[in-house]
Amino acid sequence: MYMRFSNLMASVLVLITVWFPSAAEAKKLNIVTATTDMAALAQEVGGDKITVESIARGYQDPHFVEAKPSFLLKLRQADLLISVGLQLEIGWLPPLITQSGNPRVQVGANGYLDASQFAEILEIPTGQVTRAMGDVHPLGNPHYWLDPDNGRRVAKGISEKLAELQPSDQAYFQQRFQDFDKRLTAAEKVWDEEMKPFHGRKLVTYHRSWPNFAKHFGLDVVGYVEPRPGIPPTPSHTIELIQMMKRDNVKVIVVEPYFDLKTPNSIAQAVGGKVLVLLPSVGGEKQVTDYFKLFDYDIDLITKAFKSFAQ
Ligand SMILES: [Zn+2]
């Protein structure tokens, strides 16, 4: 009888919690991010004081995202919108922001955070950018989150923004960042060690998604399957690329999961090389559920590939 009573009490308590969220829970910051990587970093520092959802899926090309109408509703209720910036989302995010009608997340408002301001940015073009150059981002390469040091900088920036929006949880966000920083530093030691034997290795990538990754891990990206950023492969460019790869003994071709493998496969065949589908984003594969697993996944694949081609 006593047991049954306590079971009943437990159920009642559960019901109460479900029906009447506590004051702390009610104060969760409602965050929408453009991409999964920003969501993963926000989750690291926001913990259970936030809810966060990404508009783009991790397996989608972040330059071209068709947002579901349900995201307008989410954006309408958001306290904070985090974008990658540097015009990565220029093709799809601005109309969503406008249509949301949410004054908090408009560009320049307090609830709009362009994370690129915290990161080290590579490939900032000098001189004039023209259409002939392809989809060159005039503000620099927006794929900066693939350097873990940029992940750390962005996480810090997000934690400070969260503290600004919810000062009562400032210590919590600070603590979460310090913990993330520690775990990232430990993970970086392992990754750096794994990549060390392959310093200076040359590779080709489909799109210019990897300059920050390459810089951090000492790799040398010597060519691209795209003749120019955002422009699909052409036969003449592909032939030149194959000649260069043969001459310089380049064997590894890294492709993002949303590109067609036909040209990369034919290049690999021509040079006796290998196509590697690496993930530029958290969620690119089901098991890649956080920022750490993204690097675990990519480094595992790329080190195996380099090992299979002695240099
Ligand atoms: Zn790009």
Side-chain angles (χ1 to χ4, degrees), residues 47-267:
D48 55 15
K49 304 282 186 192
I50 64 163
T51 59
V52 60
E53 197 165 356
S54 164
I55 299 174
R57 304 279 163 205
Y59 48 80
Q60 282 180 317
D61 184 342
H63 307 84
F64 307 99
V65 174
E66 223 178 299
K68 285 187 249 147
S70 58
F71 274 108
L72 261 189
L73 203 65
K74 280 172 187 152
L75 211 49
R76 193 161 291 165
Q77 294 155 350
D79 300 307
L80 175 64
L81 169 65
I82 306 173
S83 71
V84 173
L86 304 180
Q87 301 194 353
L88 178 73
E89 309 102 332
I90 197 170
W92 54 276
L93 191 57
L96 280 181
I97 295 175
T98 311
Q99 286 163 37
S100 79
N102 179 350
R104 286 188 299 270
V105 301
Q106 301 299 310
V107 177
N110 208 25
Y112 176 86
L113 187 67
D114 176 339
S116 69
Q117 66 188 288
F118 307 115
E120 181 193 42
I121 304 304
L122 303 177
E123 299 182 349
I124 299 173
T126 51
Q128 219 188 351
V129 173
T130 67
R131 288 304 299 170
M133 296 159 78
D135 280 342
V136 168
H137 302 288
L139 303 174
N141 192 301
H143 303 272
Y144 56 80
W145 66 89
L146 285 161
D147 174 349
D149 291 329
N150 274 342
R152 178 184 289 103
R153 295 180 184 114
V154 169
K156 184 161 196 281
I158 294 174
S159 77
E160 280 161 9
K161 175 51 92 174
L162 298 182
E164 181 195 320
L165 293 176
Q166 198 146 281
S168 56
D169 288 322
Q170 183 178 10
Y172 176 84
F173 296 131
Q174 226 164 36
Q175 180 57 45
R176 293 277 313 186
F177 169 70
Q178 281 162 9
D179 178 62
F180 171 70
D181 180 22
K182 240 185 238 163
R183 285 182 292 123
L184 189 62
T185 302
E188 271 186 270
K189 263 193 196 132
V190 177
W191 297 330
D192 290 346
E193 201 59 40
E194 286 173 318
M195 292 294 282
K196 215 178 185 174
F198 310 108
H199 268 197
R201 280 287 183 111
K202 289 177 177 167
L203 69 153
V204 160
T205 70
Y206 195 106
H207 180 71
R208 288 179 180 254
S209 307
W210 308 91
N212 295 85
F213 183 91
K215 187 185 173 204
H216 184 93
F217 294 111
L219 303 177
D220 190 5
V221 181
V222 293
Y224 307 95
V225 178
E226 290 179 332
R228 295 185 297 282
I231 308 296
T234 59
S236 62
H237 174 73
T238 301
I239 289 168
E240 274 173 37
L241 191 62
I242 289 171
Q243 284 166 348
M244 181 272 284
M245 289 175 76
K246 281 182 173 165
R247 190 187 62 223
D248 293 350
N249 194 28
V250 183
K251 301 288 192 190
V252 171
I253 305 156
V254 167
V255 182
E256 298 80 351
Y258 34 79
F259 289 121
D260 193 75
L261 288 175
K262 212 178 97 191
T263 305
N265 279 339
S266 68
I267 296 170

